[in-house]
């Protein structure tokens, strides 16, 4: 078969066809369609080089492969060179056909793609323009088909939704839709809205989406139409986060404007009111219509400088654009109201004044509060009297006058006596009424030029203008008499007294603080001497007070340094001289002053409450010593004096029990001595506490009996064991029948109450003999022995009877001098 036989076949074909010799790459024959593509005649085509007719350099390589037998079929686009030098794009199919065993030809079919190529280029340009349009738009664009499948989206869409990179590179519609749904907090609502859009192909909608990251997107969706029919849907997304925030701020500003408690006026640059809030209408008592259009400059005024304040406002509004101050407004009914005004300028971006805003606050309440504060700052809230601040100013003025006139003045420090009892029994409200009554009485005792000040509590200070000592004394007496007059409040009748201390300027002090301090010191001296009187300040008072302060400090430090010791005075049987026990008496081994007796420091200890700490130490030390004697085979009952303040401590009984338990002492070997005053202060509470002590097994006795206020009704109820006669009745027992009769009555009463009676302070044999005749049970005193250190008492006890006889003999022959020398205290 020859290639010539192919000629009729290719002539009837619409595509151009070459028959090419694979070895020479020469065209053997071509049909008319192929010649037309090249712009040649069929005759010109025969013998032409296939490589030369091709405009592609790659074709040379292709035909070499064909010649080598490497290619049998190859389809590709090719560029042919026409006779006029132009080119034409064709779709080329190259097929090697074997005509015989030794002969083969290459059929090359070509179809003109010029129009198709042109259409594709036009489409590419159109797509490029569309892509550029999508990317340049200010919105994020998402294009979907009618089923919701994604056809395209732009870069801004990916940025707005923050699509991860993997969703940008792989075409996974389901993953993208899932990511979008997961980006909103309300997925159910998102899906419902999306399904509604898909079910309504022609729907045009706008809604707002709030993403989890806080971004707010506006979504606008429109159908995509082709020939009037929907073929898809376009979604446009716009970031309105800032706009939403701005709108929220505007809404908030409007709400603040309407709700602000301060009056707000918005004006033009010429200060004409354009808007005002409800608070402004309430402040001015005018309707909004009455305020709009008025000049703010005419609405407000300054009572002191009507024109000057407006000039200042103009200057400040020009620069720095802010003015603040106090102005006034007159309401329609004529009432003038003070205002605190802040006036600011609002400018646009070019710096041009657009509006001014005036904020006004009513100062009525503030000014009233200021007056009240000033009143409180200078006066006492309860009584209305001047307080210390006003007193300071007046006394300072008096000092300046005195320096010029050489006339002095007096300061009286007054304290109501036992006022605490009124507060405790009748309550503080009743006490306040009493203070008000006392303040009124004091005012009636003074001149208009004098100043009465309440320092606090029940303390008052009086400044007597140009008063000497005589005038101060007359005033003090008048005050004492006035305060002592009966008081009747709420059907309650009672009487009060007061104590006064007087300090004179300039001899007693050059400042108010010094005068008050010295007046207080003098008043304190009155309190110590029975109250209800007055005293002038003396310099020695301060020295005494300072001495007491130093003594109190030294005692407290001495207790820390173990400077206190106990001495023990024996207590004996009246008939056998057998030692029955002892009384523990405290001594202070002062590092500088030597051994001090209780009379040197107990009074200060009681005044400063140090007696509680000291009494606790005495209790523990006495119990410890008693326990030591038990361990040494010489048990001895030890009596401990208990002060009123120590006995009143809430945990006193627990402290006694703890001391006994710590040292494992039999409670019967501890005796507590209490004074009559302790037992009658609060008889019911004292009874309850004594019963608890008795329940521990501790012995109880009344010390210094006969010097206080006793009640037989109370004594018979108390679980007492001993009654100790005070030494004051023993001293003259052997010389005065009256004292002997009193002692006899005490002994008989004690025996009637089934109590052991102990005589204290027995110093002479005559006293002992008289006590024996009167039937006293026990005694203690210097006749036998003074209070001894623990080791001395132990030795004395071992040789008690023999030493007792020796001691009596020694006192019988001039021992009175030793007794007198030892009377520094018990």
């Amino acid at each position: 078969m020859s290639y010539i036989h192919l000629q009729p076949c290719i002539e009837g074909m619409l595509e151009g066809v070459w028959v090419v010799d694979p070895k020479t790459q020469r065209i053997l024959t071509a049909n008319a369609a192929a010649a037309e593509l090249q712009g040649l005649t069929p005759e010109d085509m025969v013998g032409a080089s296939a490589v030369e007719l091709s405009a592609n350099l790659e074709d040379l390589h292709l035909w070499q492969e064909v010649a080598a037998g490497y290619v049998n079929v190859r389809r590709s686009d090719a560029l042919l060179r026409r006779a006029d030098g132009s080119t034409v794009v064709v779709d080329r199919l190259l097929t090697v056909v074997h005509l015989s065993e030794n002969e083969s030809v290459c059929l090359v079919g070509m179809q003109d793609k010029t129009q198709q190529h042109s259409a594709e280029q036009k489409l590419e340009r159109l797509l490029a323009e569309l892509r550029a349009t999508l990317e340049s738009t200010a919105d994020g664009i998402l294009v979907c088909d009618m089923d919701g499948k994604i056809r395209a989206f732009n870069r801004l869409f990916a940025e707005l939704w923050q699509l991860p990179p993997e969703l940008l590179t792989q075409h996974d519609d389901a993953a993208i839709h899932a990511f979008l749904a997961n980006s909103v907090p309300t997925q159910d609502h998102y899906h419902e809205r999306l399904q509604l859009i898909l079910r309504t192909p022609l729907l045009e909608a706008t809604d707002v989406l709030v993403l989890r990251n806080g971004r707010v997107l506006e979504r606008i969706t429109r159908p995509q139409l082709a020939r009037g029919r929907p073929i898809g849907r376009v979604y446009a997304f716009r970031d309105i986060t800032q706009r939403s925030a701005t709108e929220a701020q505007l809404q908030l500003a409007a709400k603040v404007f309407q709700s602000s408690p301060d009056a707000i006026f918005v004006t033009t640059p010429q200060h004409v009111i354009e808007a005002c809030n409800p608070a402004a209408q309430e402040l001015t008592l005018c309707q909004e219509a009455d305020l709009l259009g008025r000049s703010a400059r005419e609405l407000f005024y300054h009572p002191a400088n009507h024109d000057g304040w407006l000039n200042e406002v103009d200057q400040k509004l020009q620069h720095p654009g802010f003015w603040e101050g106090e102005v006034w407004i007159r309401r329609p009914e004529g009432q003038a109201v003070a205002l605190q005004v802040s006036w600011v300028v609002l400018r646009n971006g070019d710096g041009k004044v657009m509006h001014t805003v005036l904020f006004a606050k009513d100062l009525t309440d503030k000014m009233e509060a200021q007056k009240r504060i000033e009143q409180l700052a200078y006066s006492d809230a309860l009584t209305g009297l001047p307080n210390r601040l006003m007193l300071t100013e007046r006394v300072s003025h008096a000092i300046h006058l005195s320096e010029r006139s050489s006339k002095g003045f007096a300061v009286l420090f007054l304290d109501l006596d036992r006022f605490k009892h009124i507060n405790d029994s009748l309550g503080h409200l009743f006490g306040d009424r009493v203070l008000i009554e006392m303040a009124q009485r004091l005012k009636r005792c003074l001149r208009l030029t004098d100043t009465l000040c309440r320092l606090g509590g029940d303390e008052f200070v009086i400044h007597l203008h140009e008063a000497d000592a005589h005038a101060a004394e007359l005033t003090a007496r008048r005050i004492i008499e006035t305060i002592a007059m009966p008081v009747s409040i709420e059907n309650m009748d009672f009487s009060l007294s007061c104590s006064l201390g007087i300090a004179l300027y300039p001899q007693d002090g050059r400042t108010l603080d010094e005068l008050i301090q010295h007046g207080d010191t003098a008043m304190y001296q009155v309190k110590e001497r029975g109250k209800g009187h007055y005293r002038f300040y003396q310099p020695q008072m301060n020295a005494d007070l300072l001495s007491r302060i130093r003594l109190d400090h030294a005692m407290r430090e001495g207790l820390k340094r173990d400077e206190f010791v106990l001495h023990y005075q024996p207590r004996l049987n009246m008939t056998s001289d057998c030692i029955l026990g002892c009384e523990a008496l405290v001594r202070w081994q002062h590092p500088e002053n030597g051994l001090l007796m209780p009379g040197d420091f107990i009074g200060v200890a009681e005044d400063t409450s140090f007696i509680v700490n000291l009494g606790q130490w005495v209790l523990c030390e006495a119990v410890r010593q008693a326990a030591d004697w038990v361990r040494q085979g010489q048990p001895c009952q030890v009596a401990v004096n208990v002060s009123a303040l120590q006995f009143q401590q809430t945990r006193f009984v627990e402290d006694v029990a703890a001391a006994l338990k710590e040292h494992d002492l039999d409670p019967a070997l501890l005796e507590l001595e209490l004074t009559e005053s302790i037992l009658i202060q609060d008889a019911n509470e004292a009874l309850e506490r004594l019963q608890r002590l008795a329940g521990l097994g501790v012995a109880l006795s009344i010390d210094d009996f006969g010097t206080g206020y006793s009640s037989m009704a109370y004594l018979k109820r108390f679980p007492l064991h001993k009654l100790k006669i005070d030494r004051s009745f023993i001293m003259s027992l052997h010389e005065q029948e009256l004292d002997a009769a009193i002692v006899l009555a005490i002994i008989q009463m004690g025996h009637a109450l089934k109590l052991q009676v102990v005589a204290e302070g027995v110093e002479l044999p005559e006293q002992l003999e008289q006590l024996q005749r009167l039937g006293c049970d026990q005694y203690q005193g210097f006749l036998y022995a003074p209070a001894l250190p623990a080791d001395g008492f132990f030795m004395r006890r071992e040789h008690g009877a023999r030493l007792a006889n020796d001691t009596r003999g020694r006192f019988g022959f001039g021992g009175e001098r030793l007794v007198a020398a030892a009377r520094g205290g018990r």
Side-chain angles (χ1 to χ4, degrees):
M1 181 178 177
S2 173
Y3 71 89
I4 298 175
H5 296 94
L6 297 176
Q7 183 66 33
C9 296
I10 63 176
E11 281 295 339
M13 300 181 66
L14 296 176
E15 294 84 0
V17 179
W18 295 347
V19 179
V20 181
D21 184 351
K23 297 179 180 179
T24 62
Q25 291 96 39
R26 297 283 179 177
I27 297 175
L28 299 176
T29 183
N31 64 359
E36 184 178 355
L37 281 175
Q38 302 288 159
L40 298 173
T41 63
E43 291 77 11
D44 295 331
M45 294 287 294
V46 175
S49 172
V51 175
E52 293 177 355
L53 292 179
S54 176
N56 290 345
L57 295 178
E58 295 84 353
D59 281 2
L60 176 60
H61 179 67
L62 173 64
W63 288 108
Q64 289 176 352
E65 289 181 340
V66 171
Y70 297 143
V71 175
N72 288 322
V73 178
R74 176 72 58 83
R75 183 170 184 172
S76 63
D77 289 341
L79 190 64
L80 300 182
R81 184 176 292 109
R82 296 172 63 89
D84 57 5
S86 62
T87 58
V88 59
V89 178
V90 296
D91 181 12
R92 181 179 62 186
L93 176 61
L94 187 150
T95 305
V96 176
V97 178
H98 296 279
L99 300 177
S100 62
E101 183 177 351
N102 297 321
E103 183 180 4
S104 62
V105 295
C106 184
L107 294 179
V108 181
M110 295 169 288
Q111 186 175 8
D112 189 355
K113 292 185 62 176
T114 301
Q115 292 182 353
Q116 180 183 351
H117 183 67
S118 176
E120 289 176 353
Q121 287 183 331
K122 184 177 181 180
L123 180 59
E124 288 179 1
R125 286 196 303 269
L126 185 60
L127 290 176
E129 291 172 358
L130 179 59
R131 175 60 64 181
T133 301
L134 286 175
E135 294 298 338
S136 62
T137 183
D139 297 335
I141 302 298
L142 172 67
V143 182
C144 299
D145 61 16
M146 294 301 295
D147 296 326
K149 294 181 179 179
I150 298 174
R151 296 206 300 231
F153 58 81
N154 64 355
R155 175 185 52 80
L156 186 56
F157 169 82
E159 293 177 358
L160 290 177
W161 286 89
Q162 296 182 346
L163 292 180
E166 58 270 17
L167 293 183
L168 299 178
T169 56
Q170 61 185 13
H171 193 75
D172 190 342
D173 294 356
I176 293 177
H177 281 301
F179 180 85
L180 298 183
N182 193 51
S183 297
V184 298
T186 55
Q187 296 186 33
D188 293 341
H189 177 72
Y190 175 83
H191 284 300
E192 290 176 3
R193 183 65 176 168
L194 194 60
Q195 290 300 320
L196 175 62
I197 294 173
L198 292 176
R199 288 196 305 267
T200 314
L202 297 178
L203 177 66
E204 297 183 3
T206 301
D207 51 8
V208 175
L209 303 176
V210 180
L211 307 189
R212 292 183 183 274
N213 59 14
R215 178 172 288 172
V216 182
L217 301 180
E218 181 183 46
R219 178 175 64 184
I220 303 173
T221 177
R222 298 287 186 271
Q224 185 180 11
L225 303 176
R227 297 180 182 179
R229 300 182 63 183
I231 61 171
R233 183 166 289 278
V234 177
Y235 299 90
F237 297 90
R238 182 173 300 167
D239 190 345
I240 60 170
T241 306
Q242 186 62 40
R243 189 182 78 186
S244 299
T246 303
E247 291 175 353
Q249 290 176 354
L250 290 175
Q251 293 175 358
L252 178 61
K255 187 177 295 184
V256 170
F257 180 78
Q258 293 295 324
S259 325
S260 173
D262 294 342
I264 304 176
F265 301 86
V266 180
T267 77
T268 65
Q270 293 74 34
H271 303 161
V272 176
I273 298 175
E274 285 188 328
C276 60
N277 67 345
Q281 302 171 42
E282 182 179 354
L283 175 67
T284 60
L285 298 183
C286 294
Q287 297 297 321
E288 182 179 15
D290 298 328
L291 292 172
L292 300 183
R294 292 183 60 180
S295 173
R297 302 167 68 91
E298 298 174 358
L299 188 62
F300 305 99
Y301 73 95
H302 196 290
N305 185 6
H306 180 69
D307 296 328
W309 82 276
L310 288 174
N311 295 332
E312 180 184 350
V313 168
D314 292 336
Q315 293 176 4
K316 293 292 185 180
L317 292 183
Q318 288 293 327
H319 182 77
F322 174 83
W323 178 84
E324 185 175 32
E326 291 187 8
V327 295
W328 292 69
I329 187 172
R330 193 173 299 281
R331 288 173 170 169
E333 74 277 9
Q335 179 188 4
V337 179
L339 305 175
Q340 177 69 34
V341 169
S342 299
W343 206 335
V344 297
V345 171
L346 300 182
R347 304 177 184 271
N348 62 11
D350 298 329
K352 181 180 178 181
V353 177
M354 303 301 295
H355 297 90
T356 72
V357 181
L358 187 148
F359 302 88
K361 182 188 293 291
D362 190 346
L363 292 180
T364 303
D365 293 340
K366 180 180 178 181
M367 295 177 71
E368 290 179 355
Q370 184 66 31
K371 291 180 181 178
R372 177 62 177 161
I373 290 172
E374 292 176 358
Q375 180 183 2
L376 292 175
Y378 287 95
S379 63
D380 175 56
L382 176 63
T383 62
L385 296 177
N387 61 7
R388 183 161 186 157
L389 182 59
M390 181 175 288
L391 177 68
T392 301
E393 292 186 358
R394 293 188 179 179
V395 171
S396 298
H397 180 66
I399 291 174
H400 292 314
L401 291 178
S402 179
E403 290 174 351
R404 293 197 300 266
S405 63
S406 299
K407 294 182 180 180
F409 58 86
V411 170
L412 281 61
F413 194 101
L414 181 148
D415 184 89
L416 297 177
D417 299 329
R418 293 177 291 276
F419 180 74
K420 183 177 184 298
H421 296 169
I422 293 178
N423 271 342
D424 292 344
S425 59
L426 300 175
H428 287 272
L429 292 179
F430 189 90
D432 289 346
R433 296 186 61 180
V434 174
L435 288 175
I436 294 173
E437 171 64 22
M438 294 300 106
Q440 295 301 319
R441 293 188 180 190
L442 291 172
K443 288 170 65 176
R444 292 196 291 268
C445 297
L446 305 177
R447 303 165 296 176
L448 294 177
T449 55
D450 301 330
T451 301
L452 171 62
C453 161
R454 178 176 178 241
L455 282 188
D458 60 343
E459 294 180 342
F460 297 84
V461 174
I462 302 168
H463 163 241
L464 297 181
H465 181 64
E466 293 185 354
D468 56 11
H470 178 67
E473 185 175 9
L474 291 177
T475 303
R477 289 178 178 175
R478 185 163 61 249
I479 289 173
I480 291 173
E481 292 175 359
T482 302
I483 295 297
M485 294 174 63
V487 181
S488 180
I489 298 178
E490 294 182 357
N491 298 324
M492 174 71 68
D493 297 329
F494 56 93
S495 297
L496 285 176
S497 63
C498 65
S499 300
L500 282 162
I502 305 173
L504 300 176
Y505 177 85
Q507 54 266 42
D508 295 335
R510 308 289 299 186
T511 66
L512 175 62
D513 289 341
E514 290 180 353
L515 293 170
I516 290 179
Q517 176 188 346
H518 294 161
D520 187 16
T521 301
M523 185 274 298
Y524 180 78
Q525 296 288 328
V526 177
K527 291 278 189 182
E528 284 191 333
R529 288 163 174 76
K531 305 179 179 64
H533 199 57
Y534 66 89
R535 286 199 71 179
F536 284 90
Y537 170 75
Q538 300 294 333
Q540 183 59 34
M541 294 178 180
N542 262 358
D544 294 343
L545 185 59
L546 183 59
S547 175
R548 296 169 70 90
I549 293 174
R550 289 173 175 170
L551 181 59
D552 175 60
H553 177 70
M555 284 191 296
R556 297 178 188 274
E557 294 300 313
L559 186 60
K560 296 177 183 177
R561 294 193 292 263
D562 296 326
E563 294 175 2
F564 288 92
V565 296
L566 290 184
H567 287 189
Y568 301 88
Q569 188 174 45
R571 174 169 47 81
L572 299 94
N573 183 281
M574 184 65 69
T575 56
S576 66
D577 279 342
C578 175
I579 296 178
L580 303 176
C582 61
E583 180 179 358
L585 299 171
V586 67
R587 303 288 188 263
W588 184 5
Q589 189 64 53
H590 196 281
E592 298 177 1
N593 302 328
L595 190 67
L596 299 181
M597 295 298 176
D600 297 326
F601 57 86
I602 285 296
V604 175
E606 290 178 339
D607 290 342
T608 61
S609 302
F610 175 67
I611 192 67
V612 175
N613 296 339
L614 182 59
Q616 178 66 19
W617 178 85
V618 170
L619 172 66
C620 294
E621 178 62 18
V623 171
R624 184 200 63 78
Q625 184 60 63
D628 283 350
W629 286 333
V630 171
R631 285 189 287 271
Q632 295 172 19
Q634 295 289 335
C636 178
Q637 186 184 63
V638 179
V640 175
N641 289 281
V642 178
S643 69
L645 191 58
Q646 183 182 6
F647 184 76
Q648 292 166 1
Q649 299 301 304
T650 306
R651 294 188 53 82
F652 175 69
V653 178
E654 287 77 5
D655 291 341
V656 173
L660 294 171
K661 181 178 180 181
E662 179 182 358
H663 298 288
D664 194 22
L665 180 67
D666 183 354
L669 294 179
L670 176 64
E671 177 180 320
L672 300 179
E673 295 187 3
L674 310 163
T675 63
E676 296 168 274
S677 60
I678 294 177
L679 302 180
I680 66 173
Q681 280 183 358
D682 190 337
N684 293 328
E685 182 178 348
L687 176 61
E688 184 271 336
R689 197 162 293 179
L690 289 175
Q691 289 173 341
R692 292 170 60 197
L693 289 170
L696 294 177
V698 174
L700 301 171
S701 64
I702 296 182
D703 194 20
D704 300 334
F705 186 81
T707 60
Y709 302 93
S710 299
S711 170
M712 298 302 107
Y714 287 145
L715 288 179
K716 71 178 184 179
R717 296 169 56 195
F718 294 146
L720 302 173
H721 302 87
K722 294 186 182 68
L723 186 153
K724 303 186 76 170
I725 305 174
D726 187 69
R727 67 178 61 246
S728 62
F729 298 110
I730 305 301
M731 291 175 58
S732 56
L733 170 70
H734 60 292
E735 297 175 343
Q736 297 186 13
E737 293 183 1
L738 180 60
D739 285 347
I742 292 174
V743 170
L744 176 60
I746 294 174
I747 292 173
Q748 292 176 344
M749 183 195 70
H751 289 166
L753 294 172
K754 296 183 173 50
L755 303 177
Q756 288 285 304
V757 180
V758 181
E760 293 184 304
V762 179
E763 301 172 352
L764 300 174
E766 295 84 356
Q767 297 168 347
L768 180 63
E769 292 171 0
Q770 181 74 326
L771 288 169
Q772 288 175 338
R773 286 194 296 271
L774 296 177
C776 187
D777 301 307
Q778 302 174 23
Y779 78 97
Q780 66 185 70
F782 285 10
L783 178 62
Y784 180 78
L788 302 170
D791 54 351
F793 174 80
F794 185 76
M795 295 176 59
R796 175 63 59 93
R797 191 176 179 211
E798 286 183 329
H799 307 85
R802 180 176 57 81
L803 292 176
N805 293 331
D806 293 346
T807 305
R808 286 192 201 176
R810 187 163 57 252
F811 278 102
F813 296 96
E816 290 83 355
R817 286 180 300 161
L818 178 60
V819 172
R823 283 179 181 162
R826 295 177 61 184

